Amino acid sequence: MPLPKAEDLEQLEDIEKQWAVKAMHHAETYFKLITSVDMRKFPLTKIDDEIYEDFEATFPEIDVKHLNDEHFKTPKAKEKWRNWVNKYEKRVNEFNFGSLIRIDYREDYLEQNTMFGVRMQFYAIEIARNKKGLNEELRQSLKASS
C-alpha cells in the first residue's frame, strides 16, 4: 500500500478541522438550548423514549451524572457501544457522526469536561439526562446564580 501524498494529508487535516468546527458548533448550540428551556419537554429525536429505554437496559452501569472513561474507552466498552449504536443506523440521522459529550452534567463544554463520542452516544447520554431532569436542574441552578 503506497504512502499518502502530502496533499492527501492536508485534505485529511482540513476534514478534521471541519469536523471539529461542526462538533463545537453543535455543542455550543446544545448548551444554549439546555440552559434556556426545560429539555424534559423538548425531544432530541423522534424516538427518544425508545433510545432511553434501550440505553438504560443496555448500559445500567452508566451514571449519566458523571461519565467514567471505562464505560466508553476500553475494548469491551467500545464493542458494546458499537453494537448498540449500529442498531440505529437507518433510524437516526448522523447516528455515527462525531460529537462532543459533557462528562459532568453540571458543567459546560470545557476541555476538562468534554470527551469525544458519536452522535448516538450523545443522544443516549443527553436523553437520559433530560428524562431524569438533570439538565433542568442545571438550568435552574444557572438561573438562580445569575
Side-chain angles (χ1 to χ4, degrees), residues 122-138:
F122 166 84
Y123 282 145
I125 300 303
E126 291 300 332
I127 289 168
R129 287 174 172 168
N130 292 339
K131 298 269 186 197
K132 295 171 189 261
L134 298 173
N135 285 329
E136 179 58 12
E137 181 184 311
L138 170 64

Side-chain angles (χ1 to χ4, degrees), residues 6-60:
E7 60 269 15
D8 294 338
L9 294 176
E10 288 173 16
Q11 287 177 345
L12 286 175
E13 189 175 310
D14 287 343
I15 290 168
E16 282 184 22
K17 286 178 187 172
Q18 289 171 1
W19 167 85
V21 168
K22 187 172 182 176
M24 195 61 218
H25 177 71
H26 177 263
E28 289 171 348
T29 301
Y30 184 69
F31 197 76
K32 286 178 187 172
L33 187 63
I34 64 174
T35 57
S36 302
V37 300
D38 184 349
M39 292 301 292
R40 292 174 296 183
K41 301 173 183 158
F42 193 85
L44 296 178
T45 73
K46 293 177 183 178
I47 58 170
D48 277 13
D49 291 339
E50 180 182 336
I51 291 169
Y52 176 65
E53 289 171 19
D54 190 15
F55 169 70
E56 290 286 302
T58 307
F59 299 96

Side-chain angles (χ1 to χ4, degrees), residues 47 82-96 120:
I47 58 170
R82 187 173 20 262
N83 291 332
W84 188 84
V85 165
N86 286 336
K87 293 190 291 187
Y88 295 94
E89 179 178 8
K90 295 190 181 350
R91 302 184 62 210
V92 176
N93 192 30
E94 296 182 336
F95 78 105
N96 66 349
M120 280 308 302

